[in-house]
Amino acid sequence: MSLRPTLDFLLYQWLHAESLNQRERFADHSRETFDAVFDTCERIAREKFAPFNRLVDTQEPHFDGEQVILPQATHEAHKAYAGSGMLSAAQDYDEGGMQLPYTIEAAANCFFAMASVSIGSSLLTKGNANLLLVHGTEAQKEVFARNEFAGRFSGTMCLSEPQAGSSLSDITTRAMPDGAGSEADPLGPRYRLKGNKMWISSGEHELTENIIHLVLAKIPGPDGKLIPGTRGISLFIVPKKMVGTDGQLTGERNDVALAGLNHKLGWRGTTNTLLNFGEGKYPVGGEAGAVGYLVGKPHEGLRCMFHMMNEARIGVGTAAVMLGMAGYYASLDYAKNRPQGRPVGLAGKDSAQPQVRIIEHADVKRMLLAQKAYCEGALALELYCARLVDEQHTAEAGAADDARLLLEVLTPIAKSWPSEWCLEANSLAIQIHGGYGYTRDFPVEQYWRDNRLNMIHEGTHGIQATDLLGRKVLMEGGKGLQLLAARIDATIARAIQVPELAAHANALAQALQQVGAATKAAWATGKPTDALANAVPYMQGFGHMVLAWIWLDVALAALQADATKSTAVTAGKLGALRYFYHYELPKIDAWLQVVASRDMTCADLPEEAF
């Protein structure tokens, strides 16, 4: 199956992406230019990515003592992607970009993610460069960000450390001013960094001339000690190879050394590394210490890095969606072609009758419909978030601020919901393949392995859930949650007028009420320990409500486009809607019950009881 018809429907018949061309920033574009971008990306994904998805899984990156070796196919795929202009697709013309809506860029990147999610590392490079465009100096933008957009350099984000994991308060990488005059360096105040970073994706390779690490580190206080907590964290540009103010390599290596490659369950085509900063293996100017240039102000590093982290979270959610979609298409094709079993009649099975294809069995249809509901619904959510990015940047002030707040609330869902439920879709794809599903004769086992990492990438479920219930639904007096509720209510008001959707509209209204009540009940005591003890069930219930809303809104668009309900596309959309409301939405009762009652079963169980 082709992804294109689904994208076309969501973009043009649901999100009305063409209307963005009425805005000054996108006035040069039309549906024709959008479709031309999709044509190019679809072709490159088909030719340079998809044929090598298994290759990069089996030929893992390895270190030969001098450099990390990747398959030639990875080099070719990166070259084709960079050459397409997609690294800077949404950037200004002045930046060498196409000035595309982010909605279109996000949709175009879906082709690559479905073809081979682990071949490229463009997500981090674009996020790195985008951060520098917002928080960097003019020199930092020119030397680092623009060379990343051009494909000469690639980027990473270096947060976690072996002893700290996701607890950034506990990082110990230290940054010290690099001697007299360091504060006046043309590339930014210059520091020497020493420390270790773990789980750094694309931390070492030879795909580009240089790798630009964005590194969180702490500048010691006046007493020489590191400032406790996140207050002391600053952000630094640490290039693998030293760069002059003209953007050219100086020929000197920075003091960043590969300490090891992590061998992962999935995403094996992308290097994942442990990096040592400042150990003295590559002394700069005869001194140990990795040279880094301060981004923004001292001690405001985490605020700057969140710009990249939020972008990466939506990117991870989209990667999870496309892995789920790849598994769905593979299992659908298998189900249509695999003969097995016979229907049961009043007299039982008639062995003399020919076998039927497994798609004719109700339980296989259940598993296919679940995948369709999870993956197409999650794709719609990610594209909706992408449209909010465009609203935030190009709408009038009030609408732009609403989009900002809605994104704050929806980002934890956009990251975590697909990484849980599109992983479940991959599990169902394996199940449909039966015994073949967990062999390497078919691709679905690799899709599952690749997708399992997304529940951890860019913050675990627990981190996202704490962010949602502990911060996002409360911020600015709960305005973001109120805005979301208003949009859901608007969909309900439209759907309740449509006979075949009225019951679903009422079910969504009840779900919205349940989420609101659970939110208030969770915080009734005002104690974070009470409220957050069941943050993950809260996020699961919240996420299912959001996806129920997305599906109802999509169904309205499908009916509007096909009032006679005569096409298979409309039948598929309405079938997925019914599945989600009948099989999935009722789950929120159990999730939200423990939230509303502030159940402490998990939190209170003593360690020795395990």
Side-chain angles (χ1 to χ4, degrees), residues 138-154:
E138 285 304 315
Q140 290 171 346
K141 294 174 190 178
E142 181 65 27
V143 171
F144 300 112
R146 289 173 187 137
N147 278 310
E148 289 182 90
F149 284 133
R152 283 187 62 212
F153 300 168
S154 58

Side-chain angles (χ1 to χ4, degrees), residues 475-499:
M475 65 186 300
E476 300 185 29
K479 185 180 176 182
L481 185 56
Q482 293 164 15
L483 285 169
L484 178 61
R487 297 209 175 185
I488 294 172
D489 280 333
T491 299
I492 291 170
R494 292 168 54 220
I496 210 161
Q497 306 299 321
V498 181

Side-chain angles (χ1 to χ4, degrees), residues 11 46 93 133 177 202 235-237 253 263 410 443 482 505-506 586 599:
L11 289 171
R46 181 177 63 250
Y93 294 134
L133 286 186
S202 302
L235 180 63
F236 301 88
I237 299 167
R253 175 78 183 258
H263 299 283
L410 288 175
Q482 293 164 15
N506 285 322
D599 187 285

